[in-house]
Amino acid sequence: MDVTVVGAGPVGLVLAAELALSGAAVQVLERRADPDEAMKAQSINVPTAEALDRRGLLPAAEQVQRELLERVGSFAGAADDRPPGAGRPAPERRFTGHFAGMVLSPDLVDWSDPDLAAHAAVDGARMVPQPQLEALLADHIARLGVPVRRGVEVTALEDTGDGVRVDTTAGTVRTGWLVGCDGGHSTVRRLAGIDFPGTDPELTGYQAVVDIADPEKLAGGWTWSTRGAYRYGPQPGRVATLEFDGPPAGLPHARLRSRGGTPMAPVTLEEVQTSLRRISGADVTLTALRAAPTRWTDNTRQAAAYRSGRVLLAGDAAHVHPPFGGQGLNLGVGDAMNLGWKLGAVVAGWAPEGLLDTYDAERRPLGAWVLDWTRAQIGVLRGDAKSAALREVVADLLSTRDGTTYAVKKISGVTQRIDLPGDHPLVGRFVPDVWLRDGSRLVDHGHDGGFLLLDRTPDGAFARLAAAWAGRVSSVSDDHATPTGVLVRPDGVVAWASDTTDIAAITGLEAALHRWTGAQTSSPAHEPVS
């Protein structure tokens, strides 16, 4: 195999798909015999939804959201009865999320904000829980012919310089590259000797879907007490608890799920009930578990390096933090999209190994920001008097239009930016919704995973230049408008953009093509710019 991916969660599946689209021979190893049905992230952010959109998976994600809204609406007494395809969700149906348990009101969001308005095409595909996302992605890689070998655990590895020897419970694997997407307890990270510095846990949380004999004893939404906080809803039977008295005794300091490393003891119904009773003060009775519950802490760490030779890390293997807002899932998918095309280019031979250095350089700052964003929520959530006072201040700020809009933009991911060369405001950002004269969007033309070039010049000058990179860059022509040209990397990041058609624009595009798409595949269709 060119690449072996360890871990069949969303991050590993996305990475394997991107590698397959680049032409690499890739396989996935997963120590679990069956897909993980544990309670995890309940939503995805805009960059993740747009990643699905770029690969033609938006309709499937929208169907997941419609089904979820039907269940939640029924539970809340406000079912969404709009027919499928009825258009963008109404404001009250748009996903906003929460900050430290303080739900952000969609009525306070300025939906006309340019950052939000520019990424509205995926509004109907944000409420996608992780199990459904994994099922969707599993179908995707099956169509691409990527094998997933379940029940196989990595036990040792050796970077031989020209590849990696991997010992597993099913025998030895020889692979060109190895990527650990195997969670916070990452075996790959440990065997590669990559340090994992950060801050130790102080809190314990649980998530579960349960049958409740006496649900009237619980308040809806988030509720605080001196012992912690709990949430009931919005789905029927969904409960979450957060205890302020430290991590569970005797459990390793990590995001406490059975994800790589030593399997943790399963969370029991009694454990969830005890936590819920302790925090709520109500003698509530839980009668059954409807989904595999999870146990977690606020352990927060980031790998000292995302790459060591021919071994790389992505997702929770590279960073762990409290799971508020599903930020870990989204951060990991972003890692996979960024790494996938770059590693694929190195395997294909049209990019040098040095391209992989940009993976750590581009993703590490975003990872550090997410760690601090979740740390801040822990500071607001704790049960001491100082945190309670801070929570009141933050709640007051989040009751304003500006405050709510700011938080929603951060949570949604629409403000994410990578530091890339270029002065245009789109450079380094995820490409916005760009509608074309034929009614399609620019991303509709990029399902094969290559580079996309939008050419709005009167004479097709940008497309003629990009023809020298045929097979890697697909050009899409459109009526003249601004921006006049946009070059989009396979991960959705804008590598170059211009509002003009002059020599400076041509020179900038040529530099971006050389920087990101390697050597020309054919002779240029224009005279070189001097």
Side-chain angles (χ1 to χ4, degrees):
M1 287 290 170
D2 293 321
V3 184
T4 295
V5 176
V6 181
V11 178
L13 296 177
V14 169
L15 177 60
E18 294 301 294
L19 288 164
L21 285 172
S22 73
V26 57
Q27 67 177 343
V28 181
L29 307 182
E30 169 56 55
R31 69 175 184 81
R32 291 189 183 85
D34 299 300
D36 187 6
E37 296 298 330
M39 284 282 294
K40 296 179 183 176
Q42 297 298 298
S43 62
I44 58 178
N45 70 0
V46 169
T48 298
E50 290 181 339
L52 300 178
D53 188 13
R54 284 194 298 278
R55 300 300 176 255
L57 302 175
L58 183 62
E62 289 176 330
Q63 179 61 28
V64 171
Q65 174 162 314
R66 282 194 294 270
E67 294 174 355
L68 177 62
L69 283 175
E70 289 174 0
R71 295 194 299 272
V72 173
S74 176
F75 175 63
D80 185 354
D81 57 3
R82 292 175 301 134
R88 187 185 304 170
E92 66 273 11
R93 290 295 180 191
R94 290 183 180 176
F95 180 84
T96 54
H98 69 89
F99 183 86
M102 291 172 276
V103 178
L104 304 168
S105 170
D107 295 329
L108 288 174
V109 179
D110 179 7
W111 296 108
S112 66
D113 180 280
D115 289 324
L116 293 171
H119 297 272
V122 295
D123 279 350
R126 297 283 310 285
M127 301 180 195
V128 180
Q130 187 163 333
Q132 286 85 344
L133 177 63
E134 289 188 17
L136 185 158
L137 292 171
D139 290 342
H140 178 47
I141 69 164
R143 290 190 293 269
L144 293 172
V146 176
V148 178
R149 300 175 60 189
R150 291 192 169 275
V152 178
E153 189 166 357
V154 173
T155 58
L157 65 86
E158 179 187 3
D159 186 339
T160 60
D162 59 350
V164 185
R165 173 193 167 107
V166 186
D167 292 337
T168 78
T169 52
T172 298
V173 172
R174 296 185 185 275
T175 186
W177 299 83
L178 181 70
V179 186
C181 302
D182 50 342
H185 293 286
S186 176
T187 299
V188 172
R189 185 188 64 237
R190 176 175 55 81
L191 293 175
I194 299 175
D195 290 338
F196 205 36
T199 53
D200 291 336
E202 300 176 1
L203 314 175
T204 304
Y206 297 91
Q207 256 198 122
V209 176
V210 297
D211 287 342
I212 307 175
D214 39 14
E216 68 279 358
K217 294 182 179 180
L218 298 175
W222 281 95
T223 303
W224 275 264
S225 74
T226 57
R227 292 180 176 271
Y230 77 91
R231 184 185 187 185
Y232 176 43
Q235 294 98 323
R238 182 187 174 193
V239 295
T241 66
L242 182 63
E243 301 191 53
F244 300 142
D245 55 355
L251 293 177
H253 288 177
R255 198 167 171 185
L256 300 176
R257 299 172 178 158
S258 299
R259 303 189 65 180
T262 303
M264 302 300 303
V267 179
T268 65
L269 179 68
E270 181 181 4
E271 192 175 356
V272 177
Q273 177 176 274
T274 299
S275 178
L276 188 57
R277 286 181 174 181
R278 183 183 299 121
I279 295 170
S280 67
D283 191 26
V284 64
T285 299
L286 310 185
T287 58
L289 292 172
R290 290 299 177 190
T294 55
R295 180 198 298 113
W296 55 270
T297 78
D298 59 322
N299 181 68
T300 308
R301 301 181 181 279
Q302 187 173 29
Y306 286 14
R307 177 192 175 194
S308 175
R310 286 181 169 259
V311 179
L312 299 106
L313 305 175
D316 285 357
H319 37 68
V320 295
H321 50 82
F324 297 123
Q327 292 285 347
L329 164 65
N330 296 301
L331 184 60
V333 170
D335 292 346
M337 293 298 296
N338 188 291
L339 177 59
W341 74 268
K342 294 175 180 177
L343 184 54
V346 171
V347 168
W350 61 260
E353 283 191 26
L355 179 63
L356 296 177
D357 294 337
T358 67
Y359 167 57
D360 190 302
E362 292 180 0
R363 295 303 301 175
R364 177 172 297 278
L366 291 174
W369 175 83
V370 169
L371 265 61
D372 282 343
W373 181 261
T374 55
R375 281 189 181 109
Q377 293 180 75
I378 293 297
V380 172
L381 272 168
R382 287 181 299 204
D384 59 274
K386 293 178 181 177
S387 294
L390 179 60
R391 189 160 58 244
E392 291 298 318
V393 173
V394 174
D396 190 36
L397 291 171
L398 295 179
S399 69
T400 67
R401 189 173 181 83
D402 287 346
T404 297
T405 301
Y406 165 84
V408 168
K409 287 170 62 174
K410 289 292 188 181
I411 291 170
S412 69
V414 298
T415 60
Q416 289 184 12
R417 186 169 190 171
I418 293 171
D419 186 15
L420 297 182
D423 297 329
H424 195 281
L426 286 180
V427 172
R429 293 186 178 274
F430 288 104
V431 62
D433 302 329
V434 179
W435 293 90
L436 308 178
R437 65 173 179 266
D438 62 2
S440 68
R441 287 176 296 126
L442 180 60
V443 296
D444 296 332
H445 301 267
H447 294 173
D448 63 354
F451 285 79
L452 269 178
L453 174 65
L454 173 64
D455 182 356
R456 285 171 164 167
T457 60
D459 59 352
F462 295 156
R464 287 201 310 275
L465 173 60
W469 284 269
R472 295 180 204 145
V473 182
S474 298
S475 296
V476 180
S477 298
D478 195 41
D479 291 335
H480 184 67
T482 54
T484 56
V486 179
L487 178 64
V488 185
R489 301 189 326 189
D491 56 358
V493 173
V494 175
W496 165 88
S498 177
D499 292 334
T500 68
T501 60
D502 56 15
I503 291 297
I506 292 287
T507 303
L509 173 58
E510 190 167 30
L513 288 167
H514 279 291
R515 175 182 175 85
W516 296 112
T517 66
Q520 295 172 342
T521 59
S522 62
S523 298
H526 75 299
E527 289 298 320
V529 177
S530 60

